[in-house]
Amino acid sequence: MASVRLFLTPKTGFFILLTALLISVELAVTHTTGFSRHPVAVSLGVLFDLVVVTTGLFYWLVAKPLQLPRSRTILVAILMLRLASLILPEAAFLSNQFWPYLLVLTEAMALTLAGFRIRTIVQTYKRLRPLMDAESALHGSLAGVFGEKAAGFIIGEGLTLYYVLLGWRLTSAVPFGSTAVTTHRESGQIALVIGLLVVGVIETAGVHLLLNRWSPSVAFWVTLASVYGFLFFIADCIATVKRPSYLTDTHLHIRFGVRWRATIPRPAIVTVERIHEKPAKQPGQLQGAFLTAPTALLVFREPIRFQGPYGLTKQVSRLTFCADNPVSFVDQLMDGIG
């Protein structure tokens, strides 16, 4: 709300009023007899007023006083060009002569806007990278441009493809001086997931053959969704092995494959204990073990925000997961919170 109030300045209101008046005038012009007599000249005038004049007003009255990024001005120009295409009648000369060139102009402006956004993302990433891991820095740089939800979705899609295509070439991503907290070596998680994938492939093939007799298009989309699910599980397995959780002197960094991640200050942990079976469901509890029984239970002083796949978030007050060496993990963590 504060950002909205900052944007609603007297100059912004003046720009909105002038733009609405200009659109009304140009809309009336397209219905005059003068437009019918000289459609080319009048159309060029309407385009100039709606695109160039409006964009200039936005820059001088809104973008420059508020120090908005140049991408906002380009976006306004693209929107006004689209509005002009709706206001002007669909005459033959417009579709054959002008709109192909305007389409090229729109594409060029869109690419320029994307270039500005990429530049902002890269600069933000370089600023954040020394302070956090690569994934968190990338998430922060994307969130600054697209917002938290969109950034989470982009990260989710990107991580899935990244680990499926390049994960086998990666080394274990644990910072120097920290202690890795692995979850796959003794739990049998990888073997269970591989077995699940084998069964899933067989079932998907059978379902595809059955659905294909009824509707080939439905069979295609169901199979495509299944294949995407397989890729997600493969990426999660690779990330679990190559990108385990780790413990530092000040924080516990939770990374459960491509599913959940969080950075937890050690003083925020009230208790940590060994367990041998999955506890009963409770509000604010997250089950971090996948297809296996958990071996450790953490209780937090206050709910911790966990980031999940595709922008999902959850406030967690109790966490269970399967640590490969629960005795050593509990002892090390108790030393930091005791």
Side-chain angles (χ1 to χ4, degrees):
M1 293 299 295
S3 60
V4 173
R5 288 194 295 268
L6 180 64
F7 187 76
L8 294 178
T9 63
K11 289 186 177 181
T12 302
F14 188 50
F15 163 74
I16 295 175
L17 180 62
L18 287 178
T19 302
L21 180 61
L22 186 61
I23 292 174
S24 301
V25 171
E26 301 303 332
L27 188 60
V29 167
T30 58
H31 292 82
T32 61
T33 56
F35 183 86
S36 302
R37 295 175 182 176
H38 308 284
V40 176
V42 178
S43 295
L44 289 175
V46 171
L47 282 174
F48 181 85
D49 292 341
L50 289 178
V51 179
V52 179
V53 174
T54 305
T55 304
L57 289 173
F58 177 81
Y59 175 77
W60 289 106
L61 295 177
V62 181
K64 188 175 182 180
L66 296 179
Q67 297 182 345
L68 298 179
R70 288 171 290 182
S71 59
R72 301 296 187 271
T73 304
I74 297 175
L75 180 61
V76 169
I78 294 175
L79 292 176
M80 295 309 299
L81 182 59
R82 176 57 180 165
L83 180 63
S85 68
L86 298 176
I87 290 178
L88 290 172
E90 296 183 358
F93 72 91
L94 283 174
S95 59
N96 294 332
Q97 298 180 21
F98 286 102
W99 293 125
Y101 298 102
L102 294 177
L103 180 61
V104 173
L105 177 62
T106 303
E107 292 294 334
M109 296 173 72
L111 290 175
T112 303
L113 176 61
F116 285 137
R117 287 178 174 266
I118 292 174
R119 179 184 177 187
T120 302
I121 292 171
V122 172
Q123 291 176 343
T124 306
Y125 177 83
K126 290 181 178 179
R127 178 172 55 83
L128 296 177
R129 184 62 182 93
L131 306 176
M132 57 188 68
D133 60 86
E135 181 181 338
S136 299
L138 181 58
H139 183 275
S141 59
L142 291 172
V145 174
F146 301 108
E148 285 288 339
K149 292 291 185 180
F153 185 83
I154 295 171
I155 288 290
E157 291 286 347
L159 286 178
T160 299
L161 295 176
Y162 176 71
Y163 282 109
V164 168
L165 298 176
L166 302 175
W168 60 276
R169 301 177 56 184
L170 302 176
T171 57
S172 182
V174 177
F176 178 78
S178 59
T179 303
V181 182
T182 58
T183 60
H184 66 280
R185 293 175 179 172
E186 298 181 9
S187 64
Q189 175 185 341
I190 304 302
L192 290 172
V193 173
I194 292 175
L196 181 65
L197 288 174
V198 172
V199 173
V201 169
I202 297 174
E203 290 184 348
T204 299
V207 171
H208 177 82
L209 293 176
L210 290 175
L211 290 177
N212 193 56
R213 295 181 177 181
W214 171 62
S215 174
S217 60
V218 172
F220 170 79
W221 289 111
V222 170
T223 303
L224 184 64
S226 300
V227 171
Y228 183 83
F230 298 153
L231 294 179
F232 180 84
F233 285 126
I234 293 172
D236 187 72
C237 281
I238 297 174
T240 299
V241 175
K242 300 292 187 178
R243 187 173 160 273
S245 303
Y246 62 93
L247 183 65
T248 66
D249 294 336
T250 58
H251 291 80
L252 171 62
H253 298 261
I254 293 294
R255 302 188 297 190
F256 296 146
V258 295
R259 288 170 287 122
W260 295 100
R261 64 187 179 92
T263 300
I264 307 167
R266 294 179 72 157
I269 303 173
V270 178
T271 60
V272 54
E273 59 182 273
R274 290 189 60 191
I275 57 176
H276 301 283
E277 59 183 14
K278 183 179 178 180
K281 289 185 178 181
Q282 296 186 26
Q285 180 171 289
L286 176 64
Q287 164 68 351
F290 183 58
L291 300 178
T292 60
T295 60
L297 168 65
L298 279 67
V299 180
F300 308 130
R301 297 184 187 278
E302 296 180 352
I304 302 293
R305 183 173 180 266
F306 275 63
Q307 294 179 335
Y310 307 108
L312 296 176
T313 60
K314 182 175 182 178
Q315 296 294 326
V316 178
S317 55
R318 293 165 57 91
L319 172 67
T320 64
F321 70 100
C322 181
D324 283 334
N325 192 343
V327 176
S328 175
F329 170 71
V330 170
D331 291 342
Q332 290 179 358
L333 199 55
M334 287 297 294
D335 289 340
I337 65 178

